[in-house]
C-alpha cells in the first residue's frame, strides 16, 4: 500500500512539471530553428575561397576563415614609395636603329608581297602585327597592312584602320619596311596570294628556308593564324625593330585615344594615384584552366559543361594546377595581396574584367577591401561607350589605355594583355607591374589561418620580390620578348655609378631586391624557345563587349596555346 502511495505521489509530481518541460523544449526548438535559418548555408567544400567572409567592423576589415580572424588595418605602408619602381630612373627605352641597319628602299625587293592574317583578340593580334613587320624585313618584302581576325568567338568585324592609326603605322616605319594598304592587282585582275602557315617561333633561318622559296616563286604569300610566329631571340637590330613597331608605330585611332584619355582623366580626378587591375575570372577562363574554387557540385557542373567545348582538353587535376601556380587568383586573393603589399583601403582601383564567375558575390570581398571600385561602365555613360560597345577589340583598347596609364598595374594571370603591358611598362619607365607569384601564394593563402596579419603581410612581400616590375627582375632572354624587351632597355651607367658609390641603406621594411639581385623566385615567363612549335595550352585573348578577354573559337578548333592568353 505504501508503495502505491509513493508511486502516485511521483506520478502526480511528474504531471505537474510536464508543462514546464514542454515549454522549455518548445523554446529550445524555436531557438534552434531560428539559428538554423540565420546561419550561412554550408558549402560542400573545404576550399578557403568559400569558407571565409570579409566584412568591416568599426572601420577595420576582417577576414574570417573558420575560427581564425585576420584584422586587416586600413592604413597602408609608409616606409617606402609603393607607387613607383625603385631605381627605374637609371633605365630607359632605346629602340633607334643602328646606322648599319639599311633603309627599306635599299633592301626591299620588287614582286615580293607579304600578307598576314592575325589570330585571336586585341593583344594576341598585336603580337602578330608587330612580328609581321619583322617577318617582312627578314624576307625583304613589301608588307600589306595586316588583316585582323574577324571569325573568332567574339565576331568583331573591326579592321585594322578602325582600331589603329594606319597612316601613322605606315609612315613611322617607312625607313624600316615598305608597307602598303592593299595588294596591287596583277594584269588588271585581283591577285590571289598563296596561303601558308608558318611554324611557331620561326627563326630568321626558318623564314629564309621555308617561306622565301615560295615567295620567290609565287611573289605574294599570305600567312594565316599569325601570332607568336617569330622566334623569341633574334638579331639585335630586328629586336629593336620589334620595339619601334610595338611601342611607337602601333597607335590607337584618335577616337579610341580620346575616350581612353577621358577614362584616365576621370580616375585622376578622383585620386592622385590609382591601381588598374586586369581581373580574369570569367566562366570560360576558369573552365579552360581546369581549376576549382570550392563551389561544390554546382561549380563542377557549370564549368564542366563549358569545358566540353574543347574536345582535346585532358582531364585536369585542379589541386595540382593550383599547386603549380596555374590558377588565376580569386578577386578576394588579389585584394588581400594588394593590402598586404601596403595599399590602403582608400586606394582607387580600376577593374578591367568581363563577366566574373559568381557575379557580385565573388566581387564582394574585393570591394570590401577597396570600396573605391570603378570600371569603364561606371566612369562613362552608355552614350559615350556606344561607339565602342559592340566591338570587343575597341572596348579592350579602352581598358588597355587605362591599365597602361595607371600608376600600378595588377593582374591575376599571365595572359597576353599582362605580357604586353608588362613589356610596355618596362620600356616606358618600369612603372610598377604586379603579377602574383602564384606558386608561393598558393601555400600562403592555404596557411593564412595559422598566422597574424602582420606575419601574412610580411610573407606576402617576401614572396612577391621579383614580381613587381622592378628593373632587372628577369634575366635577359627569359620569357617572351614582348613581355621582357631587354634588348630595348638601356642603362644610364653614369648615373647608376654615382648612386652605387654612395651609402646604401637597409632600414626596417626594406624588402625589394637590388638592381642586380633577383628575388627568391624569378618570374615564370613563358619561354618556348626559338624554333619550337609548342602545342601546349595557349591562352585566350581579349575582351568581348563588356571587357572579357579571350582568343576566339574559329571554324576549326583553336590550338590549345591560343585559348587562355589574355
Amino acid at each position: 500500500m505504501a508503495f502505491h502511495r509513493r508511486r502516485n505521489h511521483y506520478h502526480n509530481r511528474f504531471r505537474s512539471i510536464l508543462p514546464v518541460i514542454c515549454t522549455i523544449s518548445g523554446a529550445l526548438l524555436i531557438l534552434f530553428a531560428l539559428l538554423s535559418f540565420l546561419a550561412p548555408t554550408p558549402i560542400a567544400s573545404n576550399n578557403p575561397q568559400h569558407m571565409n567572409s570579409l566584412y568591416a567592423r568599426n572601420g577595420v576589415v576582417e577576414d574570417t576563415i573558420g575560427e581564425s580572424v585576420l584584422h586587416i588595418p586600413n592604413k597602408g605602408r609608409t616606409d617606402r614609395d609603393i607607387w613607383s619602381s625603385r631605381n627605374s630612373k637609371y633605365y630607359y627605352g632605346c629602340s633607334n636603329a643602328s646606322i648599319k641597319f639599311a633603309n627599306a628602299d635599299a633592301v626591299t625587293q620588287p614582286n615580293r608581297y607579304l600578307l598576314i592574317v592575325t589570330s585571336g583578340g586585341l593583344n594576341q593580334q598585336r603580337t602578330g602585327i608587330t612580328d609581321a613587320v619583322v617577318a617582312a624585313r627578314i624576307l625583304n618584302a613589301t608588307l600589306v597592312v595586316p588583316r585582323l581576325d574577324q571569325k573568332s568567338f567574339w565576331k568583331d568585324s573591326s579592321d585594322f584602320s578602325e582600331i589603329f592609326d594606319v597612316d601613322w603605322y605606315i609612315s613611322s616605319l617607312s625607313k624600316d619596311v615598305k608597307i602598303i594598304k592593299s595588294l596591287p592587282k596583277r594584269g588588271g585582275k585581283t591577285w590571289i596570294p598563296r596561303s601558308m602557315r608558318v611554324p611557331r617561333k620561326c627563326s630568321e633561318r626558318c623564314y629564309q628556308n621555308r617561306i622565301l622559296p615560295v615567295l620567290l616563286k609565287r611573289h605574294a604569300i599570305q600567312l594565316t593564324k599569325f601570332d607568336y610566329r617569330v622566334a623569341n631571340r633574334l638579331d639585335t637590330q630586328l629586336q629593336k625593330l620589334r620595339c619601334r613597331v610595338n611601342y611607337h608605330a602601333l597607335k590607337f585611332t584618335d577616337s579610341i585615344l580620346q575616350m581612353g584619355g577621358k577614362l584616365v582623366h576621370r580616375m585622376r580626378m578622383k585620386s592622385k594615384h590609382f591601381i588598374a587591375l586586369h581581373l580574369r575570372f570569367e566562366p570560360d577562363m576558369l573552365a579552360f584552366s581546369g581549376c576549382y574554387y570550392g563551389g561544390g557540385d554546382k561549380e563542377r557542373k557549370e564549368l564542366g559543361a563549358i569545358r566540353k567545348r574543347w574536345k582535346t582538353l585532358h582531364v585536369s587535376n585542379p589541386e595540382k594546377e593550383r599547386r603549380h601556380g596555374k590558377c588565376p587568383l580569386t578577386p578576394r586573393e588579389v585584394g588581400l595581396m594588394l593590402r598586404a603589399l601596403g595599399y590602403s583601403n582608400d586606394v582607387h582601383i580600376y577593374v578591367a574584367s568581363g563577366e566574373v564567375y559568381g557575379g557580385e558575390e565573388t566581387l564582394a570581398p574585393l570591394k570590401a577591401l577597396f570600396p573605391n571600385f570603378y570600371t569603364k561602365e561606371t566612369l562613362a555613360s552608355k552614350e559615350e561607350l556606344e561607339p565602342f560597345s559592340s566591338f570587343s577589340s575597341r572596348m579592350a583598347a579602352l581598358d588597355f589605355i587605362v591599365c597602361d596609364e595607371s600608376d600600378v598595374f595588377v593582374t591575376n594571370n599571365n595572359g597576353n594583355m599582362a605580357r604586353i603591358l608588362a613589356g610596355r611598362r618596362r620600356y616606358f619607365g618600369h612603372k610598377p607591374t604586379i603579377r602574383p607569384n602564384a606558386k608561393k601564394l598558393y601555400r600562403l593563402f592555404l596557411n593564412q589561418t595559422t598566422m597574424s596579419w602582420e606575419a601574412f603581410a610580411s610573407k606576402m612581400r617576401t614572396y612577391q620580390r621579383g614580381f613587381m616590375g622592378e628593373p632587372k627582375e628577369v634575366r635577359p632572354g627569359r620569357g617572351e620578348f614582348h613581355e621582357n624587351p631587354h634588348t630595348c632597355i638601356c642603362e644610364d651607367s653614369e648615373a647608376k655609378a654615382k648612386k652605387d658609390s654612395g651609402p646604401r641603406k637597409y632600414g626596417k621594411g626594406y624588402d625589394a631586391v637590388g638592381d642586380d639581385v633577383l628575388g627568391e623566385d624569378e618570374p615564370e615567363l613563358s619561354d618556348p624557345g626559338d624554333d619550337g612549335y609548342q602545342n601546349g595550352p595557349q591562352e585566350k585573348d581579349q575582351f568581348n563587349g563588356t571587357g572579357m578577354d579571350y582568343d576566339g573559337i574559329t571554324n576549326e578548333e583553336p590550338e590549345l596555346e591560343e585559348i587562355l592568353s589574355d
Side-chain angles (χ1 to χ4, degrees):
M1 182 70 69
F3 171 76
H4 287 293
R5 283 199 299 268
R6 285 197 301 272
R7 185 172 64 179
N8 290 334
H9 171 74
Y10 290 128
H11 179 71
N12 293 334
R13 187 177 178 183
F14 176 76
R15 290 180 62 186
S16 65
I17 65 173
L18 182 62
V20 178
I21 295 174
C22 291
T23 301
I24 294 173
S25 299
L28 289 173
L29 286 172
I30 293 172
L31 179 61
F32 178 76
L34 184 62
L35 290 173
S36 299
F37 178 76
L38 295 176
T41 303
I43 300 295
S45 168
N46 62 353
N47 190 300
Q49 169 67 7
H50 288 274
M51 294 181 65
N52 75 87
S53 60
L54 272 161
Y55 57 92
R57 176 182 295 171
N58 298 325
V60 177
V61 174
E62 294 183 350
D63 184 22
T64 306
I65 302 180
E67 297 181 356
S68 176
V69 178
L70 285 178
H71 299 277
I72 306 171
N74 287 333
K75 189 176 180 181
R77 297 189 69 185
T78 58
D79 58 323
R80 58 160 296 209
D81 181 9
I82 58 177
W83 295 104
S84 64
S85 294
R86 189 179 286 106
N87 301 319
S88 61
K89 58 182 173 294
Y90 304 116
Y91 300 87
Y92 59 95
C94 53
S95 59
N96 290 337
S98 164
I99 58 174
K100 296 181 180 179
F101 195 66
N103 192 286
D105 293 336
V107 298
T108 304
Q109 299 297 312
N111 290 323
R112 290 190 195 179
Y113 295 97
L114 177 65
L115 299 85
I116 71 140
V117 181
T118 61
S119 178
L122 178 67
N123 292 296
Q124 193 167 332
Q125 289 179 1
R126 191 179 185 112
T127 65
I129 294 168
T130 297
D131 288 346
V133 176
V134 177
R137 177 75 190 204
I138 292 172
L139 297 169
N140 293 328
T142 295
L143 176 67
V144 179
V145 169
R147 282 176 48 202
L148 304 187
D149 182 0
Q150 298 176 337
K151 297 180 181 179
S152 71
F153 180 84
W154 306 117
K155 302 291 190 298
D156 191 322
S157 60
S158 302
D159 61 30
F160 187 100
S161 63
E162 291 173 309
I163 299 176
F164 301 104
D165 186 333
V166 64
D167 293 326
W168 174 259
Y169 179 72
I170 293 172
S171 63
S172 64
L173 293 170
S174 60
K175 293 182 179 180
D176 299 310
V177 171
K178 183 179 179 181
I179 305 175
I180 58 178
K181 292 184 179 181
S182 60
L183 188 65
K185 291 189 176 182
R186 194 179 192 185
K189 298 181 180 179
T190 302
W191 194 346
I192 306 299
R194 167 71 182 274
S195 186
M196 307 177 58
R197 187 178 298 181
V198 67
R200 298 188 68 79
K201 300 298 176 185
C202 195
S203 65
E204 293 175 66
R205 181 178 298 178
C206 169
Y207 274 93
Q208 290 163 355
N209 292 341
R210 294 180 179 231
I211 309 302
L212 185 57
V214 182
L215 181 59
L216 292 175
K217 182 178 179 179
R218 301 297 294 266
H219 304 297
I221 60 172
Q222 176 174 278
L223 303 180
T224 61
K225 291 186 74 67
F226 198 85
D227 63 322
Y228 298 105
R229 303 289 166 171
V230 175
N232 191 47
R233 297 178 180 88
L234 295 173
D235 172 80
T236 296
Q237 290 306 312
L238 291 179
Q239 297 287 53
K240 287 185 177 291
L241 174 58
R242 262 178 166 166
C243 295
R244 290 197 293 278
V245 181
N246 201 1
Y247 306 133
H248 299 285
L250 206 51
K251 187 171 69 171
F252 292 122
T253 60
D254 287 343
S255 61
I256 291 175
L257 288 175
Q258 289 169 7
M259 188 66 240
K262 286 182 181 179
L263 296 175
V264 173
H265 176 70
R266 289 167 189 176
M267 287 300 297
R268 294 272 178 231
M269 291 293 288
K270 296 178 182 297
S271 179
K272 180 181 179 181
H273 300 293
F274 75 92
I275 293 173
L277 166 62
H278 183 219
L279 182 63
R280 300 209 54 206
F281 210 71
E282 300 90 354
D284 286 39
M285 168 69 180
L286 300 185
F288 189 87
S289 70
C291 299
Y292 173 67
Y293 291 91
D297 291 338
K298 180 175 181 290
E299 178 184 321
R300 291 188 180 94
K301 183 177 179 181
E302 290 175 345
L303 298 185
I306 299 173
R307 193 172 172 81
K308 291 178 181 178
R309 294 178 186 173
W310 301 287
K311 298 178 182 179
T312 55
L313 284 183
H314 62 279
V315 177
S316 65
N317 180 336
E319 181 62 25
K320 181 180 178 181
E321 295 295 307
R322 190 163 176 80
R323 188 169 62 249
H324 289 176
K326 303 298 183 183
C327 297
L329 266 61
T330 67
R332 167 189 164 270
E333 289 169 343
V334 173
L336 289 174
M337 176 183 72
L338 291 175
R339 291 295 293 273
L341 290 174
Y343 297 95
S344 58
N345 72 331
D346 60 352
V347 165
H348 288 63
I349 184 169
Y350 175 94
V351 178
S353 174
E355 173 197 357
V356 172
Y357 183 67
E360 284 300 314
E361 183 180 354
T362 303
L363 284 174
L366 177 59
K367 290 184 175 181
L369 290 163
F370 293 97
N372 298 308
F373 182 102
Y374 304 94
T375 65
K376 55 183 174 292
E377 289 80 11
T378 63
L379 290 173
S381 66
K382 288 185 178 180
E383 290 73 22
E384 288 177 307
L385 293 177
E386 196 277 332
F388 313 94
S389 58
S390 299
F391 304 95
S392 61
S393 291
R394 300 183 209 182
M395 290 289 274
L398 298 180
D399 279 331
F400 185 97
I401 291 170
V402 182
C403 290
D404 185 37
E405 292 292 328
S406 64
D407 298 283
V408 174
F409 172 64
V410 184
T411 180
N412 68 333
N413 73 96
N414 194 34
N416 281 323
M417 185 168 173
R419 295 172 186 170
I420 293 291
L421 278 171
R424 184 177 178 85
R425 290 169 70 88
R426 283 188 174 105
Y427 183 85
F428 289 110
H430 286 88
K431 291 188 292 184
T433 301
I434 302 174
R435 291 189 285 178
N437 182 357
K439 280 187 180 179
K440 288 292 184 67
L441 297 194
Y442 157 75
R443 296 197 293 271
L444 181 59
F445 287 123
L446 193 65
N447 297 319
Q448 70 183 88
T449 59
T450 63
M451 63 186 75
S452 66
W453 171 255
E454 290 72 21
F456 175 82
S458 177
K459 285 185 177 292
M460 178 68 72
R461 293 193 292 271
T462 298
Y463 292 160
Q464 279 300 118
R465 292 177 183 173
F467 291 77
M468 303 290 287
E470 296 279 350
K472 292 192 175 182
E473 270 187 348
V474 185
R475 293 182 179 90
R478 282 295 303 275
E480 294 284 348
F481 186 78
H482 298 290
E483 63 181 322
N484 184 27
H486 57 94
T487 309
C488 303
I489 297 176
C490 296
E491 181 178 341
D492 186 342
S493 55
E494 185 177 338
K496 186 171 181 292
K498 291 180 180 179
K499 186 268 296 186
D500 289 341
S501 64
R504 301 189 70 176
K505 297 180 180 180
Y506 295 89
K508 182 180 179 181
Y510 184 89
D511 59 8
V513 294
D515 286 348
D516 301 311
V517 182
L518 290 167
E520 185 177 345
D521 287 321
E522 186 176 356
E524 292 190 10
L525 306 183
S526 55
D527 190 14
D530 287 349
D531 301 305
Y533 305 150
Q534 185 179 2
N535 290 319
Q538 232 188 0
E539 304 170 335
K540 283 191 186 176
D541 193 11
Q542 267 327 95
F543 299 87
N544 66 6
T546 60
M548 224 166 161
D549 57 337
Y550 307 116
D551 183 356
I553 301 172
T554 57
N555 292 331
E556 56 180 319
E557 186 174 359
E559 296 178 48
L560 294 185
E561 197 180 348
E562 293 170 354
I563 296 176
L564 284 182
S565 298
D566 134 23

